[in-house]
Amino acid sequence: MADLPTLLRASLDPASRKQAEQNLNALSTQKGFLTHLLALVLQQSQDLPVRLAGGVYLKNIAKLRWEEDVQPLAEDDKAALRSQLVPAMLALSNPADKAVRAQIAESVALIAELDFPDKWNDLIDQLVSSLSLTDYNVNVGVLETAHSIFKQWRAQVRSDKLFTEINLVLEKFVTPFLQLFKRTAELLTNPASAPSVTTPASNYALVAQAMVLLTEIFYDLTCHDLPPAIEDSYDQFFGPAGLFHGFMAWDPAELKGDLWIKLYPEQLQRSPAVPTIVQNVWSLIGSNKLPGIADDALVSQSLRFISTAIRTGYYKELFSSRDTISTLVQGVVIPNVSLRELDVEQFEDDPLEFIRLDLSLSAAGTDLATRRHAAADVLQALVGSGFEADTTEIVGNWVNTGLSQYNANKQENWKAKDSAIFLLTAIATRGSTTQHGVTSTNALVDVVKFFSEHVYQDLQDTSESVHAILQVDAIRFLYAFRNQLTKEQLLSVLPLLAQHLRSRNYVTYTYAAITIERVLCIKQKNQLLFSQADIHDSAAQLLDALLSKVEAGGTPEKVAENDHLMKCVMRVILTARQTLIPLHQQILARLVAILGVISKNPSNPNFDQYIFESISGLMRFVVEGSPATLSTFERTLFGPFTVIIQQDIDQYVPYVFQVLAQMLELHSNDVPAEYRSLLPFLLTPAVWQQKGSIPGLVKLLKAFIARDAAQMVASGQMASILAVVQQRLIPSKVNDAWGFELLQSVVLHVKPNDLQQQYLRPIIMTLRFLLYIFAVNVEGLSPDMLISTVEGIQPQLWSQILTNFVIPQAPKVPHRDRKLAVVGMIRLLCQSKLMVEEPSVRSWPAAFNALRKLFSEPQHLTKGAEEEGSTGTTEIDYEEQTAGYQAAYSRLAASATKEVDVVAYVPNPQEFLQSQLQALAQHSGQDRVSSLLAAGGGPIF
């Protein structure tokens, strides 16, 4: 434990990080490690970076290992840590410890999500007893902890379990919470009432910070239902002299009033609360009174409040007059749509952040409303709430005014056109998604006409006489309204977008890449609109331009920073397919060179995903069109992949295993020597330590088993695979599914005789696996083989398993396994000789009745057309496949293969049952079968 500070410091240095993390992982298994780590985090004598690294490591343990099955944390160690976390938060109340406290607060939230209230029943008592009416350093720590726990409720589905937890919290927390809320509000609005608490200014800032947290918790506690204590205090919050009205003078951005409008309109109609707050908000932000960047969050949230009030429909009289709409547009919307100098500076100096904000995405990928987007949302709320005609006409006048100002002096008034295009986009959009762009438009706006008359000219210009922001506006307009243009129109503008990939302006070429990628992704009737024929002539130029921009980054961090470029590379490859066969060597070499640069310091997981998707997709389609090219991919990739594995670059190893599996799968029968030499390494325990590697390893081992099972049995490697399954995969709730995948591959490809003699007995462990073995159609593998194996373990054991396990549980299998269960039960009942002999025959009627229950939902016995189709381009969409990047494991969609359906030989389970019963009657006699059927409730059909 004495080495802990040294290891944490070493983990911050890229050169020593890997070894330090391995040593920390080994140290973390020692008894008392968790509390020792927390104690180090609290030591003021330690360097802040070391304490912060310790906080991050503790948070990661809570996130990744708190319920680990294979190397579980000791329960008494976890209990000791739980008892110390809230006191630790209080000990970190000093403002200088804010960053460290944030890590501990997140640890509390992560552990509480798993352990509260069952294993941490005194958590709320600890929090309540720590609240103070005078020490707001402590209060901020307590409230941050409480909010980190309670905010999880916002995204959860209503359930009895959830409400039990909320009610438990309310019982202990709501009364002291309301007392502190009112006390803090009094201090905030009347600081002279307690100068010892509110002075100096730093103390008053703490009171304000606590008020923000209290307001957040106010919403946490009301996000699913209105607690009686808060309902009883309604007038104190929303009455004419209510607290929330008083807060308008200092910070309405954190009030979450719009959420209350959505959730409890009937409560708010008891008083003129909303109209009064709308007027206050309007006065606060109208006429551009708050232009500074520090006020952006406040203004955006205020605009959001107005939008919500409009959308509810409860306050139509507030916005129904044309004059009101005109005043709202002029005083609130227009000032917040106009570009500020600081926006232009960000465009030039911090282009990636400009793009993130412009796309309404933060670096973390969550929704983020800028002033412009919040103002646009006000217009869209008006259009969608019955004020379409007036709003469109009023905004249309502003659009025309802006265009006129621009045409009068294009050099000076380019911002007027920028605002006009933004306003037109806002008023024309009725519905949109990040994935698909604008999905429905305002019928009163001709988007295509506006594009051709006012936008196309800027898209076409290459002379740099048009301001770069207007060119970005043109590209963004195309990006937004891509679904409103025909394929022919889109094909005509693709060359123009390709030209902009060569632009010297960062935002321009990035937006061009974003738009090309989304255009190539458009689907109609679930089919991609663009095929390889559509970009046959331009694919090479597109890839060259994109890769040149990536390569120009130089350092690993700069090369990987712009994942939009690599995402577009991926999309072009997946669209161009076999078109790239003549160029594949050059493209692959450039991708591998880029991979070599970024592997020195991996920094952008999205970029990592896209570059491996590009490599995988290129190989998939090129080898499909020209099988001889596989050797080129192997020669080019084996070297870099070996380095990645040897250096244990854990961000890339999961991808490497998937691509290696993809290459091996492209060998139809044999396993080349260079792959076979990998196998001993793949079966070492250390390789299976990293959770993110497990899916790729399973995929790779399945490829080995499918092609080399006999050799693996002969060499004893199959026994090593089963050891991995039994020791590492099956015991883990997270990884057991991967263990079953490997076992299924073993059953499919190992000879039944070897299976029965060496492997079957230790791997009979679950109902799903039993049914799988019964259902799979492998010559020599029969239900009786499995029954005999079970009986070999202990006489009469099969009858016990059948009666107490298979029969009651089979009807409960998940819907996705229903057909597998039906086929397995049919084969067990009709193909097993032992099932019609004593003692198993006594259970035959009950087993048949279980089969009847499985047939009661026939819709789950067939697959839809979309499931039957082979994995194709329509499935290779990063957003659809991964729903966001996961650090532990990100599946390569381009390397995916169609899952083997082991019961595909049974197209119609009903007909299969009839034919198998007939075969059983021929074997055992019709009278006997009829008697068994009668005892089982009669024929199913």
Side-chain angles (χ1 to χ4, degrees), residues 288 291 332-341 343-344 371-372 375 398 415-416 418-420 422-423:
N288 204 24
V332 175
V333 174
I334 298 299
N336 290 298
V337 162
S338 303
L339 277 179
R340 300 166 294 176
E341 279 306 312
D343 297 320
V344 178
R371 285 176 180 248
R372 299 190 100 192
W398 281 100
K415 287 184 183 178
D418 169 80
S419 295
F422 192 89
L423 284 168

PDB file of all heavy atoms in Angstrom, residues 288 291 332-341 343-344 371-372 375 398 415-416 418-420 422-423:
ATOM      1  N   ASN A 288     -31.872  42.103 -26.023  1.00  0.00           N
ATOM      2  CA  ASN A 288     -30.447  41.777 -25.917  1.00  0.00           C
ATOM      3  C   ASN A 288     -29.790  42.411 -24.696  1.00  0.00           C
ATOM      4  O   ASN A 288     -28.690  42.949 -24.763  1.00  0.00           O
ATOM      5  CB  ASN A 288     -29.706  42.219 -27.201  1.00  0.00           C
ATOM      6  CG  ASN A 288     -28.432  41.420 -27.411  1.00  0.00           C
ATOM      7  OD1 ASN A 288     -28.292  40.308 -26.922  1.00  0.00           O
ATOM      8  ND2 ASN A 288     -27.487  41.990 -28.155  1.00  0.00           N
ATOM      9  N   PRO A 291     -25.900  40.179 -23.383  1.00  0.00           N
ATOM     10  CA  PRO A 291     -25.191  39.704 -24.578  1.00  0.00           C
ATOM     11  C   PRO A 291     -23.945  38.877 -24.289  1.00  0.00           C
ATOM     12  O   PRO A 291     -23.404  38.247 -25.181  1.00  0.00           O
ATOM     13  CB  PRO A 291     -24.806  41.013 -25.279  1.00  0.00           C
ATOM     14  CG  PRO A 291     -24.626  41.983 -24.141  1.00  0.00           C
ATOM     15  CD  PRO A 291     -25.625  41.594 -23.087  1.00  0.00           C
ATOM     16  N   VAL A 332     -36.927  39.211 -28.568  1.00  0.00           N
ATOM     17  CA  VAL A 332     -36.303  38.048 -27.933  1.00  0.00           C
ATOM     18  C   VAL A 332     -35.577  37.155 -28.934  1.00  0.00           C
ATOM     19  O   VAL A 332     -34.440  36.739 -28.712  1.00  0.00           O
ATOM     20  CB  VAL A 332     -37.362  37.231 -27.158  1.00  0.00           C
ATOM     21  CG1 VAL A 332     -36.755  35.953 -26.603  1.00  0.00           C
ATOM     22  CG2 VAL A 332     -37.944  38.056 -26.026  1.00  0.00           C
ATOM     23  N   VAL A 333     -36.220  36.842 -30.057  1.00  0.00           N
ATOM     24  CA  VAL A 333     -35.635  35.884 -31.005  1.00  0.00           C
ATOM     25  C   VAL A 333     -34.507  36.514 -31.825  1.00  0.00           C
ATOM     26  O   VAL A 333     -33.384  35.987 -31.853  1.00  0.00           O
ATOM     27  CB  VAL A 333     -36.726  35.312 -31.936  1.00  0.00           C
ATOM     28  CG1 VAL A 333     -36.091  34.435 -33.013  1.00  0.00           C
ATOM     29  CG2 VAL A 333     -37.747  34.517 -31.124  1.00  0.00           C
ATOM     30  N   ILE A 334     -34.782  37.614 -32.495  1.00  0.00           N
ATOM     31  CA  ILE A 334     -33.811  38.200 -33.419  1.00  0.00           C
ATOM     32  C   ILE A 334     -32.478  38.525 -32.746  1.00  0.00           C
ATOM     33  O   ILE A 334     -31.414  38.161 -33.268  1.00  0.00           O
ATOM     34  CB  ILE A 334     -34.393  39.461 -34.109  1.00  0.00           C
ATOM     35  CG1 ILE A 334     -35.626  39.088 -34.952  1.00  0.00           C
ATOM     36  CG2 ILE A 334     -33.332  40.139 -34.975  1.00  0.00           C
ATOM     37  CD1 ILE A 334     -35.353  38.113 -36.074  1.00  0.00           C
ATOM     38  N   PRO A 335     -32.466  39.161 -31.565  1.00  0.00           N
ATOM     39  CA  PRO A 335     -31.176  39.471 -30.939  1.00  0.00           C
ATOM     40  C   PRO A 335     -30.348  38.229 -30.626  1.00  0.00           C
ATOM     41  O   PRO A 335     -29.119  38.287 -30.627  1.00  0.00           O
ATOM     42  CB  PRO A 335     -31.578  40.200 -29.645  1.00  0.00           C
ATOM     43  CG  PRO A 335     -32.940  40.730 -29.904  1.00  0.00           C
ATOM     44  CD  PRO A 335     -33.603  39.722 -30.780  1.00  0.00           C
ATOM     45  N   ASN A 336     -31.018  37.116 -30.356  1.00  0.00           N
ATOM     46  CA  ASN A 336     -30.286  35.902 -29.977  1.00  0.00           C
ATOM     47  C   ASN A 336     -29.947  35.006 -31.156  1.00  0.00           C
ATOM     48  O   ASN A 336     -29.245  34.002 -30.989  1.00  0.00           O
ATOM     49  CB  ASN A 336     -31.092  35.133 -28.926  1.00  0.00           C
ATOM     50  CG  ASN A 336     -31.113  35.847 -27.596  1.00  0.00           C
ATOM     51  OD1 ASN A 336     -30.065  36.049 -26.984  1.00  0.00           O
ATOM     52  ND2 ASN A 336     -32.290  36.277 -27.158  1.00  0.00           N
ATOM     53  N   VAL A 337     -30.448  35.352 -32.326  1.00  0.00           N
ATOM     54  CA  VAL A 337     -30.078  34.637 -33.541  1.00  0.00           C
ATOM     55  C   VAL A 337     -28.853  35.267 -34.181  1.00  0.00           C
ATOM     56  O   VAL A 337     -28.040  34.584 -34.816  1.00  0.00           O
ATOM     57  CB  VAL A 337     -31.276  34.617 -34.523  1.00  0.00           C
ATOM     58  CG1 VAL A 337     -30.827  34.295 -35.933  1.00  0.00           C
ATOM     59  CG2 VAL A 337     -32.318  33.600 -34.052  1.00  0.00           C
ATOM     60  N   SER A 338     -28.676  36.560 -33.998  1.00  0.00           N
ATOM     61  CA  SER A 338     -27.573  37.278 -34.644  1.00  0.00           C
ATOM     62  C   SER A 338     -26.223  36.800 -34.114  1.00  0.00           C
ATOM     63  O   SER A 338     -26.050  36.593 -32.908  1.00  0.00           O
ATOM     64  CB  SER A 338     -27.714  38.781 -34.403  1.00  0.00           C
ATOM     65  OG  SER A 338     -28.957  39.249 -34.872  1.00  0.00           O
ATOM     66  N   LEU A 339     -25.262  36.640 -35.019  1.00  0.00           N
ATOM     67  CA  LEU A 339     -23.915  36.249 -34.622  1.00  0.00           C
ATOM     68  C   LEU A 339     -23.248  37.375 -33.842  1.00  0.00           C
ATOM     69  O   LEU A 339     -23.343  38.544 -34.204  1.00  0.00           O
ATOM     70  CB  LEU A 339     -23.060  35.938 -35.858  1.00  0.00           C
ATOM     71  CG  LEU A 339     -23.165  34.553 -36.476  1.00  0.00           C
ATOM     72  CD1 LEU A 339     -22.252  34.474 -37.692  1.00  0.00           C
ATOM     73  CD2 LEU A 339     -22.801  33.459 -35.497  1.00  0.00           C
ATOM     74  N   ARG A 340     -22.539  37.010 -32.767  1.00  0.00           N
ATOM     75  CA  ARG A 340     -21.746  37.969 -32.021  1.00  0.00           C
ATOM     76  C   ARG A 340     -20.285  37.850 -32.441  1.00  0.00           C
ATOM     77  O   ARG A 340     -19.879  36.849 -33.043  1.00  0.00           O
ATOM     78  CB  ARG A 340     -21.873  37.702 -30.523  1.00  0.00           C
ATOM     79  CG  ARG A 340     -23.290  37.797 -29.991  1.00  0.00           C
ATOM     80  CD  ARG A 340     -23.403  37.183 -28.599  1.00  0.00           C
ATOM     81  NE  ARG A 340     -23.161  35.740 -28.614  1.00  0.00           N
ATOM     82  CZ  ARG A 340     -23.118  34.979 -27.512  1.00  0.00           C
ATOM     83  NH1 ARG A 340     -23.286  35.536 -26.323  1.00  0.00           N
ATOM     84  NH2 ARG A 340     -22.905  33.686 -27.607  1.00  0.00           N
ATOM     85  N   GLU A 341     -19.488  38.855 -32.089  1.00  0.00           N
ATOM     86  CA  GLU A 341     -18.071  38.806 -32.434  1.00  0.00           C
ATOM     87  C   GLU A 341     -17.392  37.602 -31.800  1.00  0.00           C
ATOM     88  O   GLU A 341     -16.525  36.981 -32.393  1.00  0.00           O
ATOM     89  CB  GLU A 341     -17.369  40.106 -31.991  1.00  0.00           C
ATOM     90  CG  GLU A 341     -17.548  41.269 -32.941  1.00  0.00           C
ATOM     91  CD  GLU A 341     -17.126  40.923 -34.378  1.00  0.00           C
ATOM     92  OE1 GLU A 341     -16.019  40.362 -34.556  1.00  0.00           O
ATOM     93  OE2 GLU A 341     -17.923  41.186 -35.293  1.00  0.00           O
ATOM     94  N   ASP A 343     -18.706  34.754 -31.313  1.00  0.00           N
ATOM     95  CA  ASP A 343     -19.045  33.582 -32.116  1.00  0.00           C
ATOM     96  C   ASP A 343     -18.110  33.469 -33.311  1.00  0.00           C
ATOM     97  O   ASP A 343     -17.655  32.370 -33.672  1.00  0.00           O
ATOM     98  CB  ASP A 343     -20.494  33.656 -32.595  1.00  0.00           C
ATOM     99  CG  ASP A 343     -21.491  33.644 -31.450  1.00  0.00           C
ATOM    100  OD1 ASP A 343     -21.270  32.881 -30.490  1.00  0.00           O
ATOM    101  OD2 ASP A 343     -22.472  34.400 -31.518  1.00  0.00           O
ATOM    102  N   VAL A 344     -17.826  34.618 -33.936  1.00  0.00           N
ATOM    103  CA  VAL A 344     -16.917  34.638 -35.086  1.00  0.00           C
ATOM    104  C   VAL A 344     -15.503  34.258 -34.644  1.00  0.00           C
ATOM    105  O   VAL A 344     -14.806  33.504 -35.333  1.00  0.00           O
ATOM    106  CB  VAL A 344     -16.921  36.022 -35.761  1.00  0.00           C
ATOM    107  CG1 VAL A 344     -15.941  36.053 -36.932  1.00  0.00           C
ATOM    108  CG2 VAL A 344     -18.328  36.398 -36.230  1.00  0.00           C
ATOM    109  N   ARG A 371     -27.737  29.777 -27.609  1.00  0.00           N
ATOM    110  CA  ARG A 371     -28.725  30.851 -27.735  1.00  0.00           C
ATOM    111  C   ARG A 371     -29.486  30.714 -29.058  1.00  0.00           C
ATOM    112  O   ARG A 371     -30.709  30.841 -29.092  1.00  0.00           O
ATOM    113  CB  ARG A 371     -28.012  32.211 -27.745  1.00  0.00           C
ATOM    114  CG  ARG A 371     -27.501  32.696 -26.416  1.00  0.00           C
ATOM    115  CD  ARG A 371     -26.745  33.998 -26.656  1.00  0.00           C
ATOM    116  NE  ARG A 371     -26.206  34.534 -25.408  1.00  0.00           N
ATOM    117  CZ  ARG A 371     -26.626  35.652 -24.833  1.00  0.00           C
ATOM    118  NH1 ARG A 371     -27.598  36.345 -25.371  1.00  0.00           N
ATOM    119  NH2 ARG A 371     -26.073  36.094 -23.719  1.00  0.00           N
ATOM    120  N   ARG A 372     -28.740  30.506 -30.138  1.00  0.00           N
ATOM    121  CA  ARG A 372     -29.379  30.457 -31.461  1.00  0.00           C
ATOM    122  C   ARG A 372     -30.395  29.326 -31.519  1.00  0.00           C
ATOM    123  O   ARG A 372     -31.512  29.491 -32.010  1.00  0.00           O
ATOM    124  CB  ARG A 372     -28.332  30.257 -32.565  1.00  0.00           C
ATOM    125  CG  ARG A 372     -27.295  31.349 -32.664  1.00  0.00           C
ATOM    126  CD  ARG A 372     -26.468  31.194 -33.935  1.00  0.00           C
ATOM    127  NE  ARG A 372     -26.943  32.110 -34.966  1.00  0.00           N
ATOM    128  CZ  ARG A 372     -26.578  32.064 -36.244  1.00  0.00           C
ATOM    129  NH1 ARG A 372     -25.761  31.103 -36.654  1.00  0.00           N
ATOM    130  NH2 ARG A 372     -27.028  32.927 -37.118  1.00  0.00           N
ATOM    131  N   ALA A 375     -33.424  30.108 -29.419  1.00  0.00           N
ATOM    132  CA  ALA A 375     -34.287  31.086 -30.098  1.00  0.00           C
ATOM    133  C   ALA A 375     -35.062  30.434 -31.226  1.00  0.00           C
ATOM    134  O   ALA A 375     -36.260  30.708 -31.430  1.00  0.00           O
ATOM    135  CB  ALA A 375     -33.439  32.246 -30.626  1.00  0.00           C
ATOM    136  N   TRP A 398     -38.511  39.419 -41.686  1.00  0.00           N
ATOM    137  CA  TRP A 398     -37.143  39.569 -41.173  1.00  0.00           C
ATOM    138  C   TRP A 398     -36.127  38.902 -42.102  1.00  0.00           C
ATOM    139  O   TRP A 398     -35.031  39.432 -42.312  1.00  0.00           O
ATOM    140  CB  TRP A 398     -37.035  38.961 -39.774  1.00  0.00           C
ATOM    141  CG  TRP A 398     -37.580  39.843 -38.706  1.00  0.00           C
ATOM    142  CD1 TRP A 398     -38.801  39.759 -38.109  1.00  0.00           C
ATOM    143  CD2 TRP A 398     -36.945  40.974 -38.113  1.00  0.00           C
ATOM    144  NE1 TRP A 398     -38.976  40.749 -37.174  1.00  0.00           N
ATOM    145  CE2 TRP A 398     -37.842  41.525 -37.158  1.00  0.00           C
ATOM    146  CE3 TRP A 398     -35.707  41.584 -38.301  1.00  0.00           C
ATOM    147  CZ2 TRP A 398     -37.528  42.639 -36.392  1.00  0.00           C
ATOM    148  CZ3 TRP A 398     -35.388  42.692 -37.535  1.00  0.00           C
ATOM    149  CH2 TRP A 398     -36.286  43.225 -36.597  1.00  0.00           C
ATOM    150  N   LYS A 415     -23.355  39.148 -42.071  1.00  0.00           N
ATOM    151  CA  LYS A 415     -24.041  38.600 -40.889  1.00  0.00           C
ATOM    152  C   LYS A 415     -25.555  38.659 -41.052  1.00  0.00           C
ATOM    153  O   LYS A 415     -26.282  37.824 -40.490  1.00  0.00           O
ATOM    154  CB  LYS A 415     -23.631  39.373 -39.640  1.00  0.00           C
ATOM    155  CG  LYS A 415     -22.218  39.093 -39.162  1.00  0.00           C
ATOM    156  CD  LYS A 415     -21.946  39.837 -37.861  1.00  0.00           C
ATOM    157  CE  LYS A 415     -20.522  39.631 -37.393  1.00  0.00           C
ATOM    158  NZ  LYS A 415     -20.238  40.381 -36.146  1.00  0.00           N
ATOM    159  N   ALA A 416     -26.049  39.652 -41.816  1.00  0.00           N
ATOM    160  CA  ALA A 416     -27.501  39.763 -42.034  1.00  0.00           C
ATOM    161  C   ALA A 416     -28.004  38.540 -42.801  1.00  0.00           C
ATOM    162  O   ALA A 416     -29.077  38.007 -42.506  1.00  0.00           O
ATOM    163  CB  ALA A 416     -27.814  41.046 -42.796  1.00  0.00           C
ATOM    164  N   ASP A 418     -26.484  35.594 -42.860  1.00  0.00           N
ATOM    165  CA  ASP A 418     -26.344  34.451 -41.952  1.00  0.00           C
ATOM    166  C   ASP A 418     -27.584  34.326 -41.066  1.00  0.00           C
ATOM    167  O   ASP A 418     -28.151  33.235 -40.918  1.00  0.00           O
ATOM    168  CB  ASP A 418     -25.094  34.630 -41.085  1.00  0.00           C
ATOM    169  CG  ASP A 418     -25.023  33.638 -39.948  1.00  0.00           C
ATOM    170  OD1 ASP A 418     -24.629  32.483 -40.192  1.00  0.00           O
ATOM    171  OD2 ASP A 418     -25.396  34.009 -38.813  1.00  0.00           O
ATOM    172  N   SER A 419     -28.034  35.450 -40.506  1.00  0.00           N
ATOM    173  CA  SER A 419     -29.233  35.422 -39.662  1.00  0.00           C
ATOM    174  C   SER A 419     -30.464  35.031 -40.460  1.00  0.00           C
ATOM    175  O   SER A 419     -31.328  34.286 -39.978  1.00  0.00           O
ATOM    176  CB  SER A 419     -29.445  36.793 -39.012  1.00  0.00           C
ATOM    177  OG  SER A 419     -28.396  37.107 -38.126  1.00  0.00           O
ATOM    178  N   ALA A 420     -30.553  35.528 -41.712  1.00  0.00           N
ATOM    179  CA  ALA A 420     -31.712  35.221 -42.555  1.00  0.00           C
ATOM    180  C   ALA A 420     -31.807  33.731 -42.842  1.00  0.00           C
ATOM    181  O   ALA A 420     -32.883  33.123 -42.757  1.00  0.00           O
ATOM    182  CB  ALA A 420     -31.620  36.004 -43.865  1.00  0.00           C
ATOM    183  N   PHE A 422     -30.497  31.313 -41.037  1.00  0.00           N
ATOM    184  CA  PHE A 422     -30.800  30.609 -39.793  1.00  0.00           C
ATOM    185  C   PHE A 422     -32.284  30.720 -39.447  1.00  0.00           C
ATOM    186  O   PHE A 422     -32.918  29.740 -39.047  1.00  0.00           O
ATOM    187  CB  PHE A 422     -29.945  31.151 -38.644  1.00  0.00           C
ATOM    188  CG  PHE A 422     -29.986  30.300 -37.413  1.00  0.00           C
ATOM    189  CD1 PHE A 422     -29.092  29.258 -37.248  1.00  0.00           C
ATOM    190  CD2 PHE A 422     -30.931  30.518 -36.422  1.00  0.00           C
ATOM    191  CE1 PHE A 422     -29.128  28.451 -36.122  1.00  0.00           C
ATOM    192  CE2 PHE A 422     -30.983  29.718 -35.286  1.00  0.00           C
ATOM    193  CZ  PHE A 422     -30.078  28.684 -35.141  1.00  0.00           C
ATOM    194  N   LEU A 423     -32.845  31.915 -39.615  1.00  0.00           N
ATOM    195  CA  LEU A 423     -34.268  32.114 -39.334  1.00  0.00           C
ATOM    196  C   LEU A 423     -35.137  31.284 -40.261  1.00  0.00           C
ATOM    197  O   LEU A 423     -36.117  30.668 -39.829  1.00  0.00           O
ATOM    198  CB  LEU A 423     -34.621  33.595 -39.487  1.00  0.00           C
ATOM    199  CG  LEU A 423     -34.173  34.532 -38.353  1.00  0.00           C
ATOM    200  CD1 LEU A 423     -34.334  35.983 -38.772  1.00  0.00           C
ATOM    201  CD2 LEU A 423     -34.962  34.253 -37.078  1.00  0.00           C
TER     202      LEU A 423
END
